[in-house]
Amino acid sequence: MDELRTFETGEPEQRAIGLECKDKLWNANYCLAMIGNFMMFFSFYLLTPLLPIYLDAQFGADKDLIGLVLSGYVLAALVVRPFSGFIVDSFNRKKVLVLCFFIFFICFTGYIGASSILMFALVRTLHGFPFGATTVANSTVAIDVLPSARRNEGVGYYGLSNNLAMAIAPSVGIYIYSVTGQFQLLFWISLVVAFGGFYAVCAIKLPPRPIVNAKPKMSMDHFFLNRAWLMAINILIFGLCWGIMSNYVAIYGKEELGITDGTGVFFALLSGGLFVSRLYGAKSLREGRLTENALQGASVSSVGFSLFAAAPGEWAYYVSAVLIGLGNGRMFPAFLNMFICVARHDQRGTANSSILTSWDSGMGIGILIGGVLVEHVNYSAAFWVTAFSQITGTLLLLFFTRCFFLSKRIYC
């Protein structure tokens, strides 16, 4: 208990980092972690909307082959994340982060040199491994350098770097390609931006972590946070909704609503909602109102998904994007803090990998379910399943997950 109390105060950590004030949120190391995270996501999503066009133009790939090639990185990231949490918790986190980020950065050279569709598919799949590992390592390091009194708030702000990169990068990539028509230029820009992120994380200074002698040699908790199993199911359900929505909203808008150029606006509004929600929710996260934030966010997202399914039309298309963004921006950082709060201090990596693995698993299931429903029923059925699943997840959180978290938390 003495060890746990020492950890909760965060005093040894802050002395080691050398902060002037133990409650200082925007310390240099935290800012470097956010910069690295922003550059990592920016470099990755700069290419994402244009890769289907590239594969078609460069290799003459059909839609089925394009989908197969581009889905490889998702599977790779999903496979590596549980092991990433174990590695981050078991070894020097700074060295793990630097190594993973370096491999992530160097993989961009593979896109430049890929001369066949098979080689490109191999590069894209292999890129998923360092992407999945680096997201876990960098978020864990960001948590390490946060003062414990501001950790909940800091986790919420950290996610803004993801949202900002994912909102800006696709538009920048599309603009550069429309002006130059050069895919190779985009690959080089991603390589340079990724190097900038690598350079930023190299400058992070982490406090030394004490060895936990009582830690079991091998257990499932090294790879998945068993104490958070119900929360993981809840996040999986929410991830399923995101998987259906994000993958089929563009083609739905084009084929059903006749919106040919509105997908960028949809995701811009969604990202704007995420951004505003994280800023607005920072104060209540700082005050420790985690379950309230999660429930409020899940409820707003339920309204957004239900509106999208029940009122098809251009106005609902865009309004639902804002609501879903506002809801998820409030819900996800609260859930991430909940995972951290039920984990021991030597399980932060596992907590990060567990929530990301659950989210990715839900997204994968959602993509499969959505594809079947769109192909054999219609878009309406797919989006009603999304709305029903979001409402189900919200009710699960209200009646069961909230109490589960309060009974399992170690601190917060």
Side-chain angles (χ1 to χ4, degrees), residues 191-404:
L191 179 68
V192 172
V193 173
F195 177 76
F198 169 71
Y199 185 80
V201 300
C202 284
I204 296 174
K205 296 179 181 179
L206 281 181
R209 290 190 299 129
I211 298 175
V212 182
N213 296 321
K215 187 176 181 179
K217 296 296 181 182
M218 185 57 64
S219 69
M220 186 61 185
D221 258 10
H222 285 311
F223 306 102
F224 188 83
L225 196 62
N226 293 331
R227 290 176 58 85
W229 66 268
L230 184 57
M231 293 150 56
I233 292 174
N234 220 151
I235 279 291
L236 185 148
I237 294 172
F238 292 139
L240 182 152
C241 304
W242 191 262
I244 296 176
M245 174 64 71
S246 61
N247 281 271
Y248 299 103
V249 67
I251 191 170
Y252 165 75
K254 181 179 179 180
E255 295 184 359
E256 298 292 320
L257 303 179
I259 302 174
T260 56
D261 58 352
T263 304
V265 177
F266 180 93
F267 283 106
L269 290 171
L270 191 147
S271 297
L274 287 168
F275 195 88
V276 170
S277 184
R278 285 179 183 266
L279 286 176
Y280 181 75
K283 183 176 183 294
S284 57
L285 285 176
R286 182 170 66 245
E287 294 170 351
R289 300 203 298 268
L290 302 182
T291 56
E292 291 88 341
N293 269 266
L295 188 57
Q296 289 169 9
S299 300
V300 173
S301 288
S302 295
V303 175
F305 283 117
S306 299
L307 174 64
F308 195 98
E314 190 168 343
W315 70 273
Y317 186 81
Y318 292 121
V319 172
S320 63
V322 176
L323 292 175
I324 293 168
L326 289 171
N328 277 31
R330 196 75 178 268
M331 176 191 71
F332 194 86
F335 259 99
L336 178 54
N337 276 297
M338 288 162 66
F339 270 75
I340 295 167
C341 287
V342 303
R344 300 191 308 267
H345 69 281
D346 60 314
Q347 292 181 305
R348 290 180 186 170
T350 304
N352 274 290
S353 67
S354 295
I355 187 172
L356 292 173
T357 299
S358 301
W359 180 264
D360 287 347
S361 298
M363 281 193 64
I365 295 170
I367 293 171
L368 293 175
I369 293 176
V372 171
L373 291 173
V374 167
E375 181 70 22
H376 298 286
V377 188
N378 53 37
Y379 287 106
S380 180
F383 293 126
W384 270 116
V385 167
T386 304
F388 176 77
S389 298
Q390 181 70 31
I391 293 171
T392 300
T394 303
L395 293 175
L396 178 65
L397 172 61
L398 174 62
F399 292 109
F400 299 101
T401 306
R402 183 168 56 171
C403 296
F404 176 87

Side-chain angles (χ1 to χ4, degrees), residues 33-351:
M34 286 192 69
I35 291 170
N37 192 55
F38 173 83
M39 291 187 168
M40 175 179 64
F41 275 87
F42 188 96
S43 62
F44 199 78
Y45 283 95
L46 183 75
L47 303 177
T48 298
L50 293 166
L51 289 181
I53 301 173
Y54 174 74
L55 293 175
D56 177 52
Q58 185 73 14
F59 304 112
D62 59 28
K63 291 182 179 179
D64 290 338
L65 184 57
I66 289 172
L68 183 63
V69 170
L70 298 183
S71 63
Y73 93 90
V74 179
L75 179 61
L78 181 60
V79 168
V80 78
R81 272 178 171 155
F83 300 98
S84 302
F86 168 66
I87 293 171
V88 167
D89 285 335
S90 301
F91 300 96
N92 184 292
R93 284 176 181 162
K94 169 71 177 292
K95 292 180 179 179
V96 171
L97 172 59
V98 169
L99 176 60
C100 291
F101 215 124
F102 176 78
I103 298 173
F104 170 80
F105 145 68
I106 211 67
C107 276
F108 282 105
T109 61
Y111 297 121
I112 298 170
S115 58
S116 67
I117 187 99
L118 179 61
M119 186 179 296
F120 190 95
L122 181 62
V123 171
R124 185 63 175 175
T125 301
L126 290 177
H127 207 178
F129 288 106
F131 178 74
T134 306
T135 53
V136 172
N138 201 61
S139 59
T140 306
V141 165
I143 293 168
D144 277 348
V145 299
L146 281 168
S148 58
R150 308 291 296 275
R151 188 166 290 135
N152 293 340
E153 179 187 11
V155 168
Y157 281 130
Y158 177 81
L160 291 176
S161 56
N162 299 10
N163 301 147
L164 190 60
M166 293 170 67
I168 296 174
S171 299
V172 172
I174 291 171
Y175 174 76
I176 292 174
Y177 175 70
S178 67
V179 172
T180 66
Q182 297 292 323
F183 286 107
Q184 292 295 318
L185 176 61
L186 289 169
F187 294 149
W188 277 106
I189 292 173
S190 290
L191 179 68
V192 172
V193 173
F195 177 76
F198 169 71
Y199 185 80
V201 300
C202 284
I204 296 174
K205 296 179 181 179
L206 281 181
R209 290 190 299 129
I211 298 175
V212 182
N213 296 321
K215 187 176 181 179
K217 296 296 181 182
M218 185 57 64
S219 69
M220 186 61 185
D221 258 10
H222 285 311
F223 306 102
F224 188 83
L225 196 62
N226 293 331
R227 290 176 58 85
W229 66 268
L230 184 57
M231 293 150 56
I233 292 174
N234 220 151
I235 279 291
L236 185 148
I237 294 172
F238 292 139
L240 182 152
C241 304
W242 191 262
I244 296 176
M245 174 64 71
S246 61
N247 281 271
Y248 299 103
V249 67
I251 191 170
Y252 165 75
K254 181 179 179 180
E255 295 184 359
E256 298 292 320
L257 303 179
I259 302 174
T260 56
D261 58 352
T263 304
V265 177
F266 180 93
F267 283 106
L269 290 171
L270 191 147
S271 297
L274 287 168
F275 195 88
V276 170
S277 184
R278 285 179 183 266
L279 286 176
Y280 181 75
K283 183 176 183 294
S284 57
L285 285 176
R286 182 170 66 245
E287 294 170 351
R289 300 203 298 268
L290 302 182
T291 56
E292 291 88 341
N293 269 266
L295 188 57
Q296 289 169 9
S299 300
V300 173
S301 288
S302 295
V303 175
F305 283 117
S306 299
L307 174 64
F308 195 98
E314 190 168 343
W315 70 273
Y317 186 81
Y318 292 121
V319 172
S320 63
V322 176
L323 292 175
I324 293 168
L326 289 171
N328 277 31
R330 196 75 178 268
M331 176 191 71
F332 194 86
F335 259 99
L336 178 54
N337 276 297
M338 288 162 66
F339 270 75
I340 295 167
C341 287
V342 303
R344 300 191 308 267
H345 69 281
D346 60 314
Q347 292 181 305
R348 290 180 186 170
T350 304

